[in-house]
Amino acid sequence: MLHDGGARCDAAAMDDETPLAALRRAMPGLPPRLREAARYVVRHDYDAATRSMRELAQAAGTNPATFTRLAQALGYAGWEPLRDTLIEARRSGPETPFSGRLRQAAARPPGAAAPAGELPAEMLGSDLGALAQLDPTPILAAATALHEAPRIWVAGFRSCRAVAQLLHYQLRLFRPDSVRLVGGAGPEDLDLGDFRGGDAVVLIGFVPYSRSIAVAARMAHAAGCTILALADRADARMAAGAHHLLLFEAEGTPGFFPSLTGALSIAQALAATAFSLGGEAALARLRETEARLAALSAYMPDQDLTP
């Protein structure tokens, strides 16, 4: 509950709720500036957990002292203890990686709309915010590594399989002979055993990481491959030692399942940039692919779709 004029939250009341739930509960009683800072943390909890207080304040358009006061208003000694709880809250237990996320939405301000009524807007808003935070800078270097590699392997399992399949499909449109999906045409172990030095291996994963992606990472390192990791955290074990790290936000969504929107966007940007680097040769292969699709009547003309 709030006390001291509504500006401080009883820390004991937060024992059974996540820090984001505590922030939502405290917001109505906070001064305007602290309320805006709390709202920013709730919407960008990935940044709050991974950026320095100075960087966070700059992104939020305020000063570092505001975040210190916000943490103190919630019963913490300062920003770092609150940041530590945000980091810990992102570490879902392996036994409940998805249902455990529902606790984050357990506490809502009085009079708030039903969670289901708010969810579509909240999820779309969360994904828009996550996309705005993506860093395009490392994509060019990663795409260059793909362009220069004699062979490309794409590895993504379980829910990350969709991202891997999309990247594999787009790359094969202009590099049909040299791009492979790990486990796409047979047992995974046969593909992993075919890794060679100089190959580029794209690893895709987020918490909880599959055993298969960890094995793929180990085999890629052992073979001397150039490794590109699309991951939700810089300290992800699957990304350790990667030559190129492309980070996306997965946990920020209020839904029961982490978001793949950022990973899909990075995959598409990676494929498009690799194609651009391929120049006339890539364009010629793409046109060959299009000609084959046309000969096979793979797509229907628009007029044939009219009712």
Side-chain angles (χ1 to χ4, degrees):
M1 63 181 65
L2 296 175
H3 58 86
D4 289 349
R8 181 175 293 274
C9 177
D10 183 357
M14 296 188 294
D15 289 345
D16 296 325
E17 64 182 349
T18 67
L20 295 183
L23 281 165
R24 292 190 183 100
R25 180 170 58 81
M27 262 191 244
L30 294 172
R33 181 167 294 184
L34 297 189
R35 191 183 310 131
E36 286 302 311
R39 187 174 291 114
Y40 187 88
V41 171
V42 168
R43 291 176 177 173
H44 304 87
D45 65 304
Y46 176 78
D47 286 349
T50 57
R51 286 186 165 188
S52 69
M53 185 168 63
R54 185 176 299 277
E55 292 173 330
L56 190 66
Q58 184 176 8
T62 185
N63 57 71
T66 300
F67 287 97
T68 298
R69 290 196 295 271
L70 172 63
Q72 292 171 343
L74 291 170
Y76 295 92
W79 172 252
E80 287 305 316
L82 173 55
R83 181 173 179 267
D84 288 343
T85 64
L86 289 168
I87 294 172
E88 187 61 32
R90 295 178 64 86
R91 303 181 188 274
S92 301
E95 70 285 355
T96 59
F98 309 126
S99 63
R101 292 172 50 81
L102 299 178
R103 293 192 297 268
Q104 297 179 8
R108 287 180 174 268
E118 292 184 350
L119 201 53
E122 286 187 4
M123 290 191 69
L124 293 176
S126 173
D127 278 344
L128 284 172
L131 289 175
Q133 297 299 317
L134 291 179
D135 183 5
T137 306
I139 294 178
L140 176 58
T144 300
L146 293 183
H147 170 65
E148 294 176 348
R151 296 192 304 175
I152 299 171
W153 298 88
V154 185
F157 306 96
R158 302 188 67 83
S159 55
C160 291
R161 193 65 166 179
V163 184
Q165 288 175 322
L166 173 69
L167 179 58
H168 171 257
Y169 176 76
Q170 292 193 10
L171 290 173
R172 286 207 67 191
L173 290 174
F174 60 94
R175 287 192 60 172
D177 302 325
S178 58
V179 182
R180 298 290 182 268
L181 180 67
V182 175
E188 294 166 14
D189 62 286
L190 294 180
D191 289 335
L192 299 179
D194 198 25
F195 287 176
R196 296 291 181 268
D199 288 356
V201 178
V202 183
L203 305 170
I204 307 167
F206 65 83
V207 173
Y209 306 104
S210 69
R211 291 184 180 275
S212 295
I213 200 65
V215 172
R218 185 170 68 248
M219 296 293 285
H221 280 289
C225 299
T226 298
I227 299 174
L228 290 71
L230 273 69
D232 60 334
R233 285 167 39 179
D235 63 350
R237 185 174 299 179
M238 54 152 285
H243 300 86
H244 302 275
L245 177 60
L246 306 172
L247 291 172
F248 63 91
E249 165 62 27
E251 284 290 319
T253 177
F256 79 96
F257 200 87
S259 175
L260 286 169
T261 302
L264 288 165
S265 296
I266 290 174
Q268 295 194 118
L270 194 57
T273 307
F275 171 75
S276 179
L277 291 169
E280 289 298 323
L283 179 58
R285 296 306 299 270
L286 179 61
R287 285 174 172 162
E288 290 175 9
T289 300
E290 290 174 324
R292 185 178 65 256
L293 292 173
L296 295 173
S297 299
Y299 301 112
M300 296 180 64
D302 289 344
Q303 59 266 29
D304 290 348
L305 301 178
T306 304

